Structure formats: structure tokens, C-alpha cells
Amino acid sequence: MSSMEERDVGVAAAPGSSSAGLGVGAVGAAAEAVAGVAAMQEEVGIRREGPEPDPDEPPKKRMKIPEGESGKLEERLYSVLCCTVCLDLPKASVYQCTNGHLMCAGCFIHLLADSRLKEEQATCPNCRCEISKNLCCRNLAVEKAVSELPTECTFCLKQFPRSSLERHQKEECQDRVTQCKYKRIGCPWQGPFHELPAHESECSHPTKTGTELMGILGEMDQSHRRDMQLYNSIFSLLCYEKIGFTEVQFRPYRTDDFITRLYYETPRFTVLNQTWVLKARVNDSERNPNLSCKRTLSFQLILKSKVNSALECSFLLLKGPYDDVRIKPVIHHHSFSNDTNETDYVPLPISDSVECNKLLAAKNINLRLFIFQVQK
């Protein structure tokens, strides 16, 4: 009997044991299924969110720029309104080619002068279309827009509109560089304007002795004497009996050399009943003047008529009535005869290379010549 009970119990226990084992397996399978679903959800979430951004990757073009990183309006306008040659904002006139590319007045004149020296047609540096004073025009809208853009004062570092910056730096800025009022008696002090009263109250030059001041005034008198000598010479020439003047027009030509050189010559003209010609050259006929930043003009006066006796003359060139070039008058003297009918090349007294570029950029150079015949 006991053996039969044990067998029944064993048979009864066997199904119990197998059902317990099946329960544990179902739990494990359910756990694995839940883990699989979670992993799939996580994978889908990652796909939806996308990969993590790479800090070294450049931003996309259509990404919205956060506030504060877009830059100020004037900084964005700077690249739009700047000169296409020097990449700086124009300070005066603004010219544009037929396609609208902007050039400041200095670069525009320089391009025309370079083309004259190289015997080439001047072109826009952006689109290579032809440019000239007839083809290009000023852009007044850009000039006004640039004048209203803020710029920094070089002395106080504050922002001001470009149209009012010059007046601020000359008259209003407290940090502008100024000189002592005793400069005329030798004080070398230079400093900010707000320190000027303190310096002048302590300046030692007003207490210098008369002997020290006489030495300083002597140097000033020499400079003044040179200027007065020029004016007195001009007034003396105006007292001469025979005075002649005419408008002269220098026209560009090229030499017949293998490497041609630019020179200027005027048509023949008559002054004081004599026939004359003027010639001019750039940088004393330098081989490649277009490669030089410093440019000069020199000229010579040639007598084409035959004379019976020597002709003592003084002459000078001044700017023409419709030109804005600045020429400082210098008087030259020469004795003309049949053997010495040409003067040496003398420099045209212009202030700097900028003025020279203005002359070279023009179609012709128009000046005024004065000739004074010295009476024997």
C-alpha cells in the first residue's frame, strides 16, 4: 500500500514539478519579450531624435542663427558697400561700373591711371567690363548710406556717424592730439586736448630768455623768407613788358621703342610771337612706372621758332581753370637760342602721387602756361 501511495505521490508530484518548470520558463520569455520591445522603442527613439550633433561639424545653411551671433547691421552692410578694390568703405565719392560694382574715388582713379601707363583698357576688377569716366557714374545712394554708418573715433574710441566724424575729431573730441600755444616759440609738446590747460599753465617756454627766443624766431623767419621770395618774384614778373599765357593741353603718346613708354606732348602754340611745344614724361621715363607707388611728372619747354638773338625767359605752369589738381608754383629760367632751344626736364610741382594719378587718369592734362620775357 505504501508503495502504491508513493507511486501515486510520485505521479502526482511529477505533473506539479513540470508545471512549476513551465511557469518559470514563461516568466523568462515574457521578460525577454519586454526587453526586446524596450530595445526596439529605444532604437526607434534614437532614429527619431537623430544622432548626437558633432561639435566640429559646420552649421547647416538653413539653421536659424541664434540672437547675438548674426552681427550688427553695420557689420553686414560693410561687406555690401565696401570698395571692390581696396575692400574698405569709401571716404568720398563712390563710382560704379555698368554692372553695379562699387569703387571708391581713389581706386577708380588709380585703375584709370594704371591703364594709361600700360596702354590697356581699364576694366572692373569684378566683372571685367570696361570702365572710364564716361561709362561709370557716381552712386549717390551708397555715398549717403556710407556717411550714416557709425565709425570709431581714433582718439576716444567712441562711435559716430561718418558724416560728423571729421568735425568731432577736429573740434569736439577731448582726446584729440593738440599742440601747445607756445609752439611758435619752440615748445614741442603734443598731447590730448583735455591735458592742454594743465600743460600751458606749467610750460617753461614763456619764461625763456630773449636770446633763446631769438634763435627760435630766426628759424621761423627763414621759412617765411622763402615764401615771401616766391611771391615777390611773381609780382616782379608781372611788371614785365612782355607777358604771355595760354591754356595748354597735354595729349598722351607712345614711343616707338620695343617696350613703349608713355609721354605727353602739346600741340604747337604761339606765345610772345614765338612757337612753342611742351613735353612731359612719367617718373623720368622709368621702364615700368605702373609698378611704382610713387609717381611724378616732369616737363620741358621747347622753342620751335628760329630767333636772331637769345631769348631770356621765365616760365611757370599752373593748374587749368577747370581742374582741381593742386600745383605749387615754381618759377624756372632759361635762355633760348637756336642751339639751346630746349629746357631740361623739370618736375611738375604737384603735392603727391594722388594728384599725379588724377592727371594720368584724365583723357588730357589741361594746364596754364605763363612766359615772361626778360628785357635786356
Side-chain angles (χ1 to χ4, degrees):
M1 218 30 215
S2 61
S3 61
M4 289 293 292
E5 289 178 0
E6 289 178 1
R7 192 178 298 125
D8 293 338
V9 171
V11 172
S17 62
S18 64
S19 65
L22 180 61
V24 173
V27 172
E32 289 179 1
V34 171
V37 171
M40 290 177 64
Q41 291 178 351
E42 183 178 357
E43 183 178 359
V44 171
I46 290 176
R47 288 179 181 177
R48 288 179 180 176
E49 294 177 1
E52 295 183 0
D54 187 0
D56 297 331
E57 183 180 358
K60 295 181 180 180
K61 291 184 178 180
R62 295 188 178 181
M63 183 180 294
K64 185 177 179 180
I65 301 175
E67 295 182 0
E69 297 181 7
S70 60
K72 297 181 180 179
L73 174 63
E74 55 267 20
E75 294 176 356
R76 300 199 301 273
L77 288 176
Y78 185 96
S79 60
V80 177
L81 304 178
C82 68
C83 170
T84 58
V85 181
C86 63
L87 304 180
D88 197 3
L89 284 179
K91 296 180 176 60
S93 304
V94 180
Y95 292 86
Q96 67 176 18
C97 72
T98 53
N99 291 326
H101 298 120
L102 304 176
M103 293 165 282
C104 65
C107 292
F108 178 65
I109 295 299
H110 203 284
L111 288 173
L112 297 182
D114 280 351
S115 66
R116 174 60 57 83
L117 293 173
K118 294 185 289 187
E119 199 180 10
E120 296 176 355
Q121 173 62 48
T123 57
C124 171
N126 267 30
C127 60
R128 298 303 176 188
C129 69
E130 293 185 2
I131 60 173
S132 67
K133 287 190 174 180
N134 294 329
L135 295 175
C136 297
C137 62
R138 288 177 59 182
N139 192 319
L140 299 181
V142 172
E143 292 179 13
K144 292 180 180 179
V146 170
S147 68
E148 295 302 321
L149 287 177
T151 187
E152 193 174 78
C153 173
T154 55
F155 303 118
C156 63
L157 305 181
K158 295 180 180 179
Q159 297 283 336
F160 294 92
R162 290 175 177 267
S163 56
S164 62
L165 179 65
E166 184 177 358
R167 179 172 58 87
H168 166 77
Q169 290 183 340
K170 287 184 176 180
E171 303 174 4
E172 301 173 355
C173 184
Q174 294 296 311
D175 293 329
R176 68 184 186 273
V177 177
T178 187
Q179 295 177 329
C180 177
K181 67 179 180 181
Y182 300 113
K183 175 191 173 183
R184 293 178 59 83
I185 56 175
C187 180
W189 183 86
Q190 287 186 345
F193 179 77
H194 63 83
E195 296 180 4
L196 181 61
H199 164 76
E200 290 180 349
S201 63
E202 301 174 356
C203 185
S204 61
H205 281 73
T207 60
K208 285 185 177 294
T209 63
T211 304
E212 294 172 333
L213 293 178
M214 288 301 294
I216 298 171
L217 294 175
E219 297 177 359
M220 296 173 57
D221 288 341
Q222 290 181 3
S223 175
H224 179 68
R225 197 177 296 114
R226 286 192 296 268
D227 294 337
M228 289 303 299
Q229 185 178 1
L230 173 63
Y231 296 137
N232 291 333
S233 299
I234 293 176
F235 288 131
S236 299
L237 292 174
L238 293 176
C239 298
Y240 283 12
E241 180 183 356
K242 294 185 177 181
I243 302 174
F245 72 94
T246 184
E247 313 299 328
V248 292
Q249 186 179 81
F250 289 87
R251 298 175 181 175
Y253 297 95
R254 289 280 168 176
T255 62
D256 296 330
D257 303 334
F258 178 74
I259 300 178
T260 61
R261 289 181 173 86
L262 173 69
Y263 73 95
Y264 287 85
E265 187 173 335
T266 65
R268 295 192 178 194
F269 56 90
T270 302
V271 176
L272 300 178
N273 297 323
Q274 305 294 336
T275 305
W276 309 82
V277 166
L278 278 167
K279 288 185 177 181
R281 60 189 185 185
V282 184
N283 286 12
D284 290 327
S285 294
E286 184 182 6
R287 185 170 183 177
N288 292 313
N290 57 295
L291 302 179
S292 174
C293 294
K294 184 178 181 181
R295 293 172 182 173
T296 60
L297 279 171
S298 55
F299 71 97
Q300 70 170 169
L301 180 62
I302 304 172
L303 175 64
K304 290 295 184 179
S305 302
K306 297 295 182 180
V307 292
N308 297 326
S309 60
L311 210 64
E312 293 282 343
C313 292
S314 299
F315 62 94
L316 73 154
L317 274 178
L318 298 176
K319 75 181 187 71
Y322 305 109
D323 288 335
D324 59 349
V325 64
R326 291 173 291 180
I327 298 180
K328 183 179 180 180
V330 176
I331 302 172
H332 305 281
H333 306 277
H334 188 76
S335 178
F336 293 92
S337 65
N338 294 330
D339 297 329
T340 58
N341 63 333
E342 297 181 358
T343 67
D344 295 330
Y345 275 93
V346 292
L348 185 66
I350 50 182
S351 58
D352 52 23
S353 298
V354 176
E355 299 297 319
C356 185
N357 282 331
K358 288 182 181 179
L359 295 176
L360 294 175
K363 184 177 181 181
N364 298 302
I365 300 177
N366 300 298
L367 300 176
R368 177 172 287 178
L369 172 69
F370 285 84
I371 301 180
F372 308 88
Q373 185 176 348
V374 180
Q375 299 296 321
K376 295 183 179 179

